[in-house]
Amino acid sequence: MSPTPGDSRAAANAAAVLRAVLTDGPLARSDIPKLCGLSPAAVSRQTTALLRAGLLHEHPGPPRTSAADPGPGRPRIPLDLHTGPLGGPLAAGLHIGVPASTFSLVDLRGRVLARRAFPHAGRSPGGLPADIAAELGRFLRDSNPAGRPLLGLGAALGGWVRPADGTVVRHEALGWRDLPLAAELSGRLGLPVSVDNHARAVAHAEILFGRPEARSSLLHLFIGNVVDAAFGIEGTVHQGPGAAAGDVAHLPVPGSRTPCACGRTGCLQASVSDGVLGAEAVRRGIVPEPSVNLLVDAAATGDPRADRLLRERARTVGRAAALLLDVFNPAVMVVAELASILHDGYLDEIRDAAGDPDRYGRRIVAPHAGPAVLPVASASVLLAPLFRDPSGLT
């Protein structure tokens, strides 16, 4: 029986079953009650509704239990998230960066099935949402030839984003203010659209699909053209009044004397953003154009100047991370910074600069999805609410 609108207990029960299967599946029905604290009857009702909605399916293999042999009686047919190629639902993802957007199709386990980059060069900020929607529509048609159900679109970008109504309140680099992005994309694509800040999006992805410690408490620091952060506790990502939490662009970094447009020196974004790093790499004659990707490639091919500059940024990020770690003391701190995602040596540099290894140990980590962090994170903007409350589909 489907839950009635406003039935919060039924919604919570459905979410508990779905999360148990996400974490430990495939599972026999009889194993689910002890994992989520529900009665067998409640689990039976919810699994029936989730199967009907297409979020779960009966798995052909054995369940992940020590009692895979059912013995006499009814076979223990395991349940798993419906991720099969013949009909499992998908989430579309959109990350809007400054130089380019990234499109993705992601399954219910956060696995990227297709992705495409869409450069912004030559496009005006005002017309960019329409251009993105047109190209994204083509991507979705081309990348889903089997016509698997689309749950909707999750969109992530930097700056101040208000998820409640899908509004980009402020994105300085793109020149957007009070832009109703969710409504515009939904109107053009004919899909439900959820929008959030990309730091919170990564936090959602880590809580859903990453390390188990992230569900206890998580701090995420995003280093790109935009620099911001997110904090989650007990599986919930903090938004703050007006969804303005996570703005660390002007966090003062110990030892930095870099001038900032705000008039001060040593602000985090002015010290470590991709734009600043790319410009410095050009100034030092390392790369011909201000591109962090080119800088990382140069370091990978053995250019000591590129390696030195990336390590300088890593140490600055580490000093900023230490300030945030002292305040929040999370179970895990995820740093999304390109060089440290691709090469552990730069992540170690961040850890060393953060100091106090006895206290923080190896709690500073890269995103679980590695280079696919942004495609997974953007889709998680849509998937996180689904796993909290799947009753809208059941």
Side-chain angles (χ1 to χ4, degrees):
M1 185 170 85
S2 298
T4 57
D7 189 347
S8 59
R9 184 172 64 178
N13 290 350
V17 170
L18 200 61
R19 279 301 301 259
V21 178
L22 170 66
T23 303
D24 295 303
L27 288 168
R29 285 174 175 83
S30 58
D31 290 324
I32 297 176
K34 59 179 174 285
L35 291 172
C36 59
L38 299 177
S39 70
V43 167
S44 179
R45 286 194 297 272
Q46 298 306 330
T47 54
T48 298
L50 292 166
L51 283 163
R52 187 187 308 122
L55 298 176
L56 296 182
H57 76 138
E58 293 185 330
H59 194 272
R64 285 176 56 184
T65 72
S66 59
D69 181 4
R74 184 179 178 183
R76 290 162 52 91
I77 301 174
L79 298 177
D80 202 358
L81 298 180
H82 195 180
T83 57
L86 299 180
L90 302 174
L94 164 64
H95 176 257
I96 302 175
V98 175
S101 290
T102 303
F103 310 146
S104 59
L105 276 177
V106 175
D107 71 13
L108 292 176
R109 286 200 172 276
R111 294 180 294 223
V112 178
L113 307 182
R115 62 189 292 184
R116 180 183 299 170
F118 176 58
H120 294 168
R123 302 179 189 277
S124 69
L128 191 55
D131 292 343
I132 288 172
E135 188 64 24
L136 178 56
R138 285 188 283 272
F139 165 79
L140 294 176
R141 290 189 295 272
D142 295 345
S143 303
N144 188 22
R148 292 170 63 173
L150 271 180
L151 298 170
L153 171 70
L157 69 163
W160 181 3
V161 180
R162 192 167 60 229
D165 59 1
T167 296
V168 180
V169 180
R170 184 179 68 234
H171 193 303
E172 300 288 1
L174 291 176
W176 289 352
R177 284 186 177 268
D178 298 317
L179 174 69
L181 183 63
E184 181 160 352
L185 292 175
S186 182
R188 292 180 181 277
L189 294 167
L191 290 171
V193 176
S194 299
V195 179
D196 205 347
N197 166 273
H198 58 197
R200 291 196 293 261
V202 173
H204 284 306
E206 293 298 323
I207 290 169
L208 275 179
F209 307 118
R211 299 161 183 81
E213 311 94 283
R215 296 165 203 156
S216 170
S217 59
L218 163 78
L219 179 62
H220 168 234
L221 178 59
F222 185 92
I223 307 294
N225 283 291
V226 176
V227 175
D228 40 25
F231 179 65
I233 188 164
E234 297 300 330
T236 299
V237 179
H238 180 62
Q239 293 189 10
D247 187 351
V248 295
H250 299 287
L251 181 76
V253 181
S256 175
R257 296 291 179 266
T258 306
C260 179
C262 73
R264 292 175 291 179
T265 60
C267 294
L268 181 57
Q269 179 152 316
S271 301
V272 303
S273 72
D274 282 0
V276 167
L277 189 71
E280 180 63 16
V282 171
R283 190 188 72 80
R284 296 188 188 185
I286 302 171
V287 294
E289 58 185 88
S291 164
V292 173
N293 287 320
L294 289 178
L295 182 64
V296 172
D297 288 345
T301 57
D303 188 325
R305 300 169 303 162
D307 177 70
R308 186 162 50 250
L309 182 55
L310 289 171
R311 290 185 184 278
E312 288 174 10
R313 173 161 88 161
R315 287 192 293 272
T316 304
V317 170
R319 293 196 298 272
L323 297 176
L324 295 170
L325 285 164
D326 284 339
V327 173
F328 293 100
N329 191 28
V332 62
M333 180 177 193
V334 177
V335 177
E337 185 271 339
L338 181 62
S340 59
I341 288 173
L342 296 176
H343 303 289
D344 287 343
Y346 300 115
L347 183 61
D348 289 336
E349 200 81 53
I350 292 172
R351 290 169 173 154
D352 290 344
D356 205 347
D358 292 334
R359 181 177 180 186
Y360 299 126
R362 307 293 281 187
R363 278 192 275 169
I364 300 177
V365 300
H368 81 281
V373 54
L374 292 176
V376 175
S378 55
S380 296
V381 173
L382 183 80
L383 292 174
L386 173 69
F387 277 94
R388 284 195 303 269
D389 181 4
S391 62
L393 294 180
T394 60

